[in-house]
Amino acid sequence: MLTPRPLRSALAALLFTSACATAPAPVPTSTPAPPAPEASAPAAATPAPTAPLSTKGVTLPEATAVTLKNGVRLLLVEKHELPLVSFSAWLKGGAVTDPAGKEGLAALTAELLQKGAGSRNAQQFAEAVDGVGGELEVVPAREALVLNGSFQSRDTALMVELLSDMLVRPRFDAKELEKARALRVSEIASAKDGDPRALIGVYFNAFHFPSHPYGGSAVGSEASLPGISRGDVLGWAKANLGGDRLILSVVGDFDAKQLAAKLESALGGWAPAGQKLAAVPATAPTKGRHVLLVDKPDATQTYFAIGNTGIRRTDPDRVVAELGNTVLGGRFTSLLNTELRVKTGLTYGAHSSLAPALQPGTFVFTSYTQTDSTGRAIDLALDVFTRYRQEGMDDAMLASAQSYVLGQFPPRLETGDQLAMKLSELAFYGLDAQDVNGFAGAVSAASRDGVRTVLQRVLPAPEDLTFVLIGKAEALRDVARKYGPVTEMKISDKRFAPSTAPGR
């Protein structure tokens, strides 16, 4: 699932949307991460008491739905409080459509959409957006390309023109491709050299889903990116860009009937994609334990991710699963962060999350620690996870989590761009407004026993876990062997997947 603005850098967005279930990845940098605190000096932080929060739910505004003859789906919501218009355009198909050996093709194609389109070259296109104070971003996700934008309502005609140019008349300039490709390779290399937290989710997916589209890297790799040509981009665009793939939600200060007419004029003649979109193959939890050790010889810390396959976006227990994850590792006062950071000082942070998708994505918990405390940190994380999966939460934890989740939800759907993204997301996954309107009720109705039952279904058994460790292999091999059969690769390898995938 995507996060709303502020706009993100291309690689940071790619890492977030293509990685395993982690918090938004830090922008790659060559500056090393701060060392994890010494175990002998535990942090003195004490979680602040939770203030009473409103349990009032959110009601999604009703949209005017229009389907054009070419298959474009429009969802329009008038919102006149501010003179702004925001859109979120979702094109079905993303990194899952990358051909083998061409990982990153969809992402590069998406990035080029705003690097020259229609009558404007890259600079002119950027000036057209910036000149009116507009915002525009392209986020290549795992299963979709997402274009988000926000303009003043007086510039709605320009917004429609720019959007239709990007979608229907992109230039795919060869020089812009060369620059984007070189920058992406450089950023990946920088992340490997500096703070690999930005990449551990990519390694996890590649190892956990070795023969599935979810295992491909949306960012591409140092092996795949140099081989992507303009011909590849043109071929991918012809096969995957078309009116029948588009879901476009617009929220803001406009007349729905008039805007629908403008959008039909601009997009109604867009031909369908040249290739039928294949269904994403099913995923399933893996059995047994499997360990990937990525050797970073200069590392003074170990970065680890542990998990398995989780749930799909449409899972009927998705709200309860997220509520349960909040207690485990979804907030600062979670069980994982309390044990690994607050009580023991083994790390600056530990968290867990779910990455639901069209098919079940990943569930992982992640952290990092000094090399010599790797075994202790992983053992403690596993102990917290195992006990929680078996015993569940007490009444105080449940009440606190419900209050927290209910308080965090409304601010995510306050602005026009947030609403536009949510409308397109729901349409993409085939969900209706009840996903939002019924959220507060589902959270409030959750019980301890109900959450525990869901967690025992959703969370993997302790004996069925995938481990990824990035660190100094020479110091970690014996530790890694404690957790299962080890597959080893080097961080200098140009691919994110080991050359030989373990048997599943």
Side-chain angles (χ1 to χ4, degrees), residues 198-218:
L199 295 173
I200 193 166
V202 183
Y203 280 106
F204 187 94
N205 278 354
F207 185 60
H208 184 67
F209 295 120
S211 57
H212 190 278
Y214 287 177
S217 167

Side-chain angles (χ1 to χ4, degrees), residues 89-138:
W90 287 48
L91 284 156
K92 297 177 182 179
V96 293
T97 64
D98 285 341
K102 300 287 185 179
E103 291 80 12
L105 175 57
L108 278 178
T109 305
E111 188 170 341
L112 293 176
L113 293 178
Q114 58 183 333
K115 300 296 184 180
S119 63
R120 299 175 177 89
N121 61 27
Q123 181 176 342
Q124 292 167 338
F125 196 94
E127 289 173 348
V129 177
D130 295 341
V132 297
E135 289 185 315
L136 189 63
E137 69 174 352
V138 179

Side-chain angles (χ1 to χ4, degrees), residues 49 53 66 89 97 126 136 176 194 236 254 381 391 401 407 411 445 448:
L53 295 169
V66 179
T97 64
L136 189 63
E176 294 298 333
W236 189 92
F254 57 80
E391 300 172 5
R448 285 178 53 194

Side-chain angles (χ1 to χ4, degrees), residues 42-340:
T46 300
T50 304
L53 295 169
S54 171
T55 59
K56 183 180 179 180
V58 176
T59 300
L60 200 66
E62 187 173 352
T64 298
V66 179
T67 301
L68 305 185
K69 291 181 180 179
N70 62 347
V72 172
R73 296 178 62 188
L74 304 177
L75 298 168
L76 311 176
V77 173
E78 296 183 23
K79 185 175 169 60
H80 299 288
E81 292 86 347
L82 295 173
L84 296 173
V85 178
S86 300
F87 72 83
S88 185
W90 287 48
L91 284 156
K92 297 177 182 179
V96 293
T97 64
D98 285 341
K102 300 287 185 179
E103 291 80 12
L105 175 57
L108 278 178
T109 305
E111 188 170 341
L112 293 176
L113 293 178
Q114 58 183 333
K115 300 296 184 180
S119 63
R120 299 175 177 89
N121 61 27
Q123 181 176 342
Q124 292 167 338
F125 196 94
E127 289 173 348
V129 177
D130 295 341
V132 297
E135 289 185 315
L136 189 63
E137 69 174 352
V138 179
V139 182
R142 180 162 53 188
E143 297 169 323
L145 304 186
V146 179
L147 289 71
N148 297 318
S150 186
F151 290 77
Q152 295 186 61
S153 54
R154 68 188 182 192
D155 300 313
T156 299
L158 175 64
M159 179 193 78
V160 172
E161 178 188 342
L162 294 174
L163 176 61
S164 62
D165 279 347
M166 292 172 69
L167 294 174
V168 184
R169 291 170 291 277
R171 291 188 172 189
F172 297 130
D173 183 81
K175 291 183 179 179
E176 294 298 333
L177 169 61
E178 184 178 345
K179 288 191 291 186
R181 186 177 53 207
L183 178 61
R184 188 68 46 76
V185 171
S186 175
E187 288 178 320
I188 292 172
S190 178
K192 287 183 174 184
D193 185 57
D195 184 356
R197 282 181 297 172
L199 295 173
I200 193 166
V202 183
Y203 280 106
F204 187 94
N205 278 354
F207 185 60
H208 184 67
F209 295 120
S211 57
H212 190 278
Y214 287 177
S217 167
V219 303
S221 69
E222 294 166 293
S224 66
L225 288 167
I228 294 177
S229 67
R230 185 171 186 267
D232 293 323
V233 169
L234 293 173
W236 189 92
K238 182 177 180 180
N240 292 284
L241 300 183
D244 58 327
R245 299 278 188 96
L246 178 62
I247 300 168
L248 173 60
S249 298
V250 190
V251 177
D253 184 25
F254 57 80
D255 177 273
K257 186 175 181 179
Q258 293 177 5
L259 182 58
K262 291 179 182 178
L263 291 170
E264 183 170 18
S265 177
L267 298 171
W270 191 18
Q275 182 175 295
K276 183 179 180 181
L277 182 62
V280 177
T283 60
T286 60
K287 293 296 183 181
R289 286 188 169 190
H290 311 275
V291 182
L292 175 65
L293 176 58
V294 182
D295 184 23
K296 182 173 166 57
D298 62 344
T300 58
Q301 300 181 114
T302 303
Y303 306 82
F304 62 87
I306 305 169
N308 205 319
T309 305
I311 61 174
R312 55 171 49 89
R313 177 64 177 88
T314 55
D315 190 289
D317 295 319
R318 57 190 178 275
V319 174
V320 176
E322 287 289 356
L323 183 65
N325 180 72
T326 297
V327 172
L328 175 62
R331 58 177 178 172
F332 183 81
T333 56
S334 68
L335 296 173
L336 284 170
N337 199 62
T338 296
E339 291 295 331
L340 271 73

Side-chain angles (χ1 to χ4, degrees), residues 385-444:
F385 168 74
T386 301
R387 282 189 287 112
Y388 179 62
R389 182 181 183 274
Q390 180 178 349
E391 300 172 5
M393 64 183 75
D394 60 28
D395 289 331
M397 288 180 186
L398 175 60
S400 174
Q402 288 171 319
S403 180
Y404 176 84
V405 170
L406 289 171
Q408 292 288 310
F409 188 65
R412 298 176 183 174
L413 291 170
E414 290 180 335
T415 64
D417 56 348
Q418 292 172 328
L419 288 171
M421 284 189 67
K422 178 56 68 175
L423 288 167
S424 289
E425 181 213 340
L426 295 179
F428 179 85
Y429 288 110
L431 296 167
D432 59 25
Q434 186 60 20
D435 187 77
V436 170
N437 300 348
F439 181 83
V443 171
S444 300

